[in-house]
Amino acid sequence: DQQVKQNSPSLSVQEGRISILNCDYTNSMFDYFLWYKKYPAEGPTFLISISSIKDKNEDGRFTVFLNKSAKHLSLHIVPSQPGDSAVYFCAASGSNYKLTFGKGTLLTVNP
Amino acid sequence: DAMVIQNPRYQVTQFGKPVTLSCSQTLNHNVMYWYQQKSSQAPKLLFHYYDKDFNNEADTPDNFQSRRPNTSFCFLDIRSPGLGDAAMYLCATSRDLRENQPQHFGDGTRLSIL
């Protein structure tokens, strides 16, 4: 049973526009959420995280929003750039600090 | 730069022939993890070491073993690889297990089984 779901396998966005990547989770014990970016032939790179005590965390062009009641988080990239084209993984952890990953969303930013 | 290094990047082995994948880290992190990732799937945790303490996931097959001879190195041994073990194997580290923090990944080893 998938505890972390990324329902969109792919997303295509025009350069300069906003990219919104979504993630849903089912385990109410999760209290820490992360986004990773993965280029082909490379390992996942940590992008941004958020604790369940917050509902928003921002780092430059990247903002993560957490809606605990809906068990939903999203990653906003503004403005999107061609170099942002990658697979984005959502991950979550609880008291055991182990990460549970989603299957990823392939983002393509078109020039 | 401090990093997580996996060797080799690509490994081909024969069905049933033991294979070892290597991971080293210069971050001096206490925790090292091994994940298996198949195409279009989420990375799946196989096991982790917290210092010398080994923790196996309940659904990790017995065919998979791990060794951590020191803080810097961790090995994944597959005793008798089957066709279903062909995957990307990712090593990751984190400082410890006592607080929320990101894990840092290597670039992975892609394992093929002939």
Side-chain angles (χ1 to χ4, degrees):
Chain A
D1 181 33
Q2 263 190 287
Q3 297 188 64
V4 177
K5 295 180 183 179
Q6 294 178 254
N7 290 318
S8 297
S10 64
L11 174 68
S12 185
V13 169
Q14 207 63 29
E15 181 179 5
R17 307 293 287 268
I18 184 172
S19 295
I20 300 177
L21 298 129
N22 293 302
C23 179
D24 296 296
Y25 61 96
T26 57
N27 189 338
S28 58
M29 301 304 292
F30 287 149
D31 60 4
Y32 182 60
F33 305 89
L34 310 89
W35 285 95
Y36 282 82
K37 180 168 77 172
K38 186 182 182 303
Y39 292 120
E42 294 184 12
T45 302
F46 169 68
L47 200 54
I48 193 169
S49 64
I50 187 166
S51 166
S52 60
I53 62 174
K54 295 185 174 182
D55 54 18
K56 177 183 174 181
N57 189 26
E58 194 171 351
D59 183 1
R61 297 186 296 114
F62 302 90
T63 303
V64 55
F65 295 92
L66 176 63
N67 182 334
K68 288 186 291 293
S69 60
K71 294 191 178 70
H72 176 85
L73 65 154
S74 61
L75 174 68
H76 292 211
I77 307 173
V78 182
S80 301
Q81 299 173 353
D84 296 329
S85 298
V87 176
Y88 288 79
F89 289 96
C90 169
S93 70
S95 59
N96 64 8
Y97 306 111
K98 296 181 188 177
L99 292 184
T100 300
F101 284 86
K103 290 185 178 182
T105 297
L106 173 63
L107 172 66
T108 303
V109 180
N110 301 302
Chain B
D1 280 344
M3 54 177 52
V4 180
I5 301 168
Q6 292 188 242
N7 284 303
R9 294 295 310 277
Y10 302 91
Q11 176 73 57
V12 181
T13 192
Q14 291 178 330
F15 181 93
K17 185 173 181 181
V19 65
T20 295
L21 309 182
S22 169
C23 178
S24 64
Q25 54 125 345
T26 60
L27 297 159
N28 205 32
H29 283 174
N30 288 320
V31 192
M32 295 186 77
Y33 309 81
W34 279 103
Y35 289 85
Q36 180 193 63
Q37 186 182 19
K38 297 187 176 180
S39 181
S40 301
Q41 297 294 314
K44 178 181 178 297
L45 182 64
L46 296 172
F47 25 59
H48 74 273
Y49 270 96
Y50 182 26
D51 196 11
K52 295 180 181 179
D53 185 23
F54 177 71
N55 296 272
N56 203 29
E57 292 301 296
D59 57 354
T60 298
D62 292 340
N63 200 22
F64 291 84
Q65 305 283 323
S66 186
R67 296 171 283 134
R68 190 179 184 186
N70 54 54
T71 301
S72 302
F73 285 86
C74 195
F75 301 98
L76 170 60
D77 300 309
I78 308 176
R79 291 191 298 186
S80 183
L83 296 178
D85 297 328
M88 174 71 81
Y89 290 88
L90 294 164
C91 174
T93 73
S94 65
R95 197 167 50 244
D96 59 48
L97 289 176
R98 291 172 291 178
E99 58 186 32
N100 285 319
Q101 57 198 255
Q103 294 178 16
H104 301 269
F105 285 81
D107 285 338
T109 294
R110 182 164 295 283
L111 179 65
S112 299
I113 314 294
L114 298 179

